[in-house]
Amino acid sequence: MLFIVATPIGNPVDLSSHAREVLTSVDFILCEDTRRTKRLLADCGIMAPHLISCNAHNEQHRVERALEEIKSGKTAALVSDAGTPAVSDPGAIIVAEAHRRGISVTPVVGASAVSAAISVSGFSSPPYHFLGFPPRKKGKRRDWIIELSQLEGSSVLFEAGNRFGALISDLQELLPDREICLCRELTK
């Protein structure tokens, strides 16, 4: 069985009791950054089982070994540094392959920046669209903004602090009449 475990986006004490139970009981944890996962586990008083790095750079290479271990009867958890794996974080490749191979995939939910943003925005919802992170390069980002402007309803997107100014500048220029709700560190 493969558990997809949402981890706190800020405060480690926000780790759910269900997530604690799963992370304590699995045979190994696939994690975006082993150092951050070790710190989270230590902060929560969890003895770390075997940790395997599984990030954007090596996920494709980890799939075979991890799923063979699960097929042999071991249990695993997949975590990202903060938030839910496979939602703008690594994990989609291994989850898709687990499904393809008939491996049970079980979510262990946690805090959601997406639903928190929708809840405080004051915009009518549904529908809303979660778009993840915009492209980094200016031309691709501007094309992306123009495409998203065609969507009905609210759009939720993420952006890193160091790229935030460029995104806001593009949004102001390309969508001058669009209402925007800016949220920062909602789940911290």
Side-chain angles (χ1 to χ4, degrees):
M1 179 174 290
L2 175 62
F3 293 94
I4 310 305
V5 181
T7 58
I9 298 174
N11 193 333
V13 300
D14 290 336
L15 186 69
S16 73
S17 57
H18 186 203
R20 288 173 193 269
E21 178 184 316
V22 168
L23 294 174
T24 301
S25 68
V26 295
D27 295 304
F28 64 97
I29 299 174
L30 297 158
C31 45
E32 190 172 0
D33 182 331
T34 57
R35 296 165 298 188
R36 290 187 69 154
T37 301
K38 280 181 189 175
R39 190 173 334 128
L40 171 67
L41 296 174
D43 288 348
C44 294
I46 299 171
M47 293 294 296
H50 181 60
L51 300 178
I52 300 170
S53 170
C54 184
N55 55 50
H57 304 291
N58 69 11
E59 182 178 3
Q60 188 67 49
H61 302 290
R62 297 289 193 244
V63 170
E64 193 63 37
R65 175 179 166 215
L67 296 182
E68 282 179 13
E69 292 287 321
I70 295 169
K71 277 289 209 182
S72 76
K74 292 187 177 180
T75 57
L78 173 65
V79 300
S80 61
D81 288 348
T84 305
V87 178
S88 284
D89 285 320
I93 295 170
I94 198 161
V95 169
E97 187 61 21
H99 284 302
R100 194 181 77 67
R101 296 182 187 199
I103 293 171
S104 178
V105 179
T106 304
V108 179
V109 298
S112 168
V114 174
S115 57
I118 291 292
S119 73
V120 300
S121 72
F123 301 149
S124 63
S125 188
Y128 72 85
H129 308 276
F130 173 61
L131 305 170
F133 287 90
R136 291 180 180 207
K137 294 186 178 179
K138 184 174 183 160
K140 288 184 179 184
R141 182 179 59 245
R142 291 172 68 86
D143 291 344
W144 184 80
I145 290 169
I146 291 167
E147 283 183 43
L148 80 84
S149 72
Q150 305 305 309
L151 298 173
E152 293 292 324
S154 301
S155 296
V156 179
L157 55 107
F158 292 160
E159 186 55 288
N162 61 324
R163 294 189 301 270
F164 185 74
L167 173 65
I168 291 300
S169 178
D170 287 345
L171 288 170
Q172 286 175 324
E173 180 185 337
L174 298 170
L175 306 175
D177 298 327
R178 197 64 138 339
E179 277 189 284
I180 297 175
C181 175
L182 302 175
C183 302
R184 180 177 178 218
E185 299 177 350
L186 290 172
T187 54
K188 292 187 179 181

